Amino acid sequence: MVDRRFTAAMEGKLSLGWPIVVLRSALAGVLIGLGCLMMMLVRSDPALSDVPGRLLSGVVFSIGLFGVVMCKAELFTGDMLIPLGVRGRWKEVVLTWSVVWAGNLVGSVALAAIVSASGIGLGDVACGLAASKCSLSAASMLTRAFLCNALVCLAVYMASLADTTVGRLACVLLPVTCFVSLGLEHSVADMFVFAYAGFCGFWAFPSRVALSLALATVGNMAGGLSFMLLMREGWYDGRSVTGERP
């Protein structure tokens, strides 16, 4: 039954009208950006030591993905799971991914502009995060993004199996706290960080920012698709979603 529900949810993503996809993906960009803001707030406190600060950052960042799950928003990284429930429709899947990525970017930049104008005072933290991301090597960015989205997809998949709000929160909280605490790279979170830092005066070669975001995106795709393939081929092969034994 759980597998049928998950499959129906993934098929439902491909049946949404494009205006709804754009709106839901922009909402996801806003929600992840809010999670980033909470993380920045924690990191702005010099009284917190390294490890407790990292762990608390992960806990508060979870509000972003939890909001995505509860609002049924469209998040690029989580949508890497679509082929787990839908087979043989790759053209639609790739087009959906492209629209969702663009919508996430729009939502992230829009929130960054609003927050910058609000003057809440986290611009220095955003600039520091953006500078550290730009300083990562390609191999580091790719591998961090790979690991990050494996954990994000784990969170989304587990949350889809939960029947209660508290259960969904627990499923999101643990993997997200893990990836944030370890300093892994989430492409949609990076969209917000770079945009907010840019509005606050951060400067880097646009090509460098674009490369960082592209590497994070590719790494997230690789990590998410690897998790999806592991689940599809290692746990069930599609027949089990109908209740049949493989």
Side-chain angles (χ1 to χ4, degrees):
M1 180 62 70
V2 169
D3 285 340
R4 289 197 192 100
R5 288 188 303 174
F6 181 80
T7 300
M10 295 302 102
E11 290 177 342
K13 288 178 178 289
L14 297 186
S15 66
L16 294 172
W18 291 119
I20 299 299
V21 173
V22 171
L23 288 173
R24 289 189 179 187
S25 56
L27 173 61
V30 169
L31 291 169
I32 295 298
L34 290 172
C36 286
L37 282 173
M38 294 303 297
M39 176 191 68
M40 291 176 189
L41 180 63
V42 171
R43 295 193 176 188
S44 68
D45 185 357
L48 283 173
S49 57
D50 184 52
V51 174
R54 285 171 176 255
L55 290 171
L56 184 56
S57 293
V59 170
V60 298
F61 183 90
S62 300
I63 188 176
L65 187 58
F66 182 60
V68 168
V69 169
M70 295 305 296
C71 296
K72 297 183 179 180
E74 295 294 329
L75 183 65
F76 173 75
T77 49
D79 280 357
M80 291 298 109
L81 286 172
I82 291 176
L84 181 58
V86 178
R87 295 197 181 198
R89 298 169 64 181
W90 281 103
K91 183 177 180 180
E92 293 175 73
V93 171
V94 172
L95 181 57
T96 298
W97 286 342
S98 301
V99 173
V100 169
W101 189 95
N104 290 166
L105 179 62
V106 169
S108 298
V109 173
L111 178 65
I114 294 170
V115 172
S116 175
S118 73
I120 63 174
L122 294 173
D124 289 343
V125 180
C127 290
L129 285 172
S132 67
K133 292 176 185 296
C134 285
S135 68
L136 291 174
S137 67
S140 181
M141 178 64 82
L142 283 170
T143 51
R144 290 187 187 201
F146 181 97
L147 293 170
C148 172
N149 208 34
L151 287 166
V152 170
C153 287
L154 174 64
V156 172
Y157 185 78
M158 291 194 302
S160 75
L161 310 182
D163 293 319
T164 66
T165 300
V166 173
R168 295 187 186 100
L169 177 59
C171 291
V172 168
L173 182 65
L174 297 176
V176 171
T177 299
C178 181
F179 92 69
V180 174
S181 300
L182 293 174
L184 304 182
E185 294 294 332
H186 189 280
S187 57
V188 180
D190 287 357
M191 292 174 186
F192 175 78
V193 170
F194 283 128
Y196 184 30
F199 285 123
C200 293
F202 173 76
W203 188 90
F205 286 109
S207 60
R208 182 54 188 157
V209 173
L211 177 61
S212 295
L213 191 54
L215 290 170
T217 299
V218 171
N220 284 166
M221 290 183 70
L225 290 173
S226 296
F227 177 85
M228 180 275 299
L229 288 171
L230 177 65
M231 293 298 298
R232 191 171 75 179
E233 305 303 331
W235 270 256
Y236 61 88
D237 67 354
R239 288 177 292 174
S240 62
V241 299
T242 65
E244 301 174 10
R245 293 185 68 181

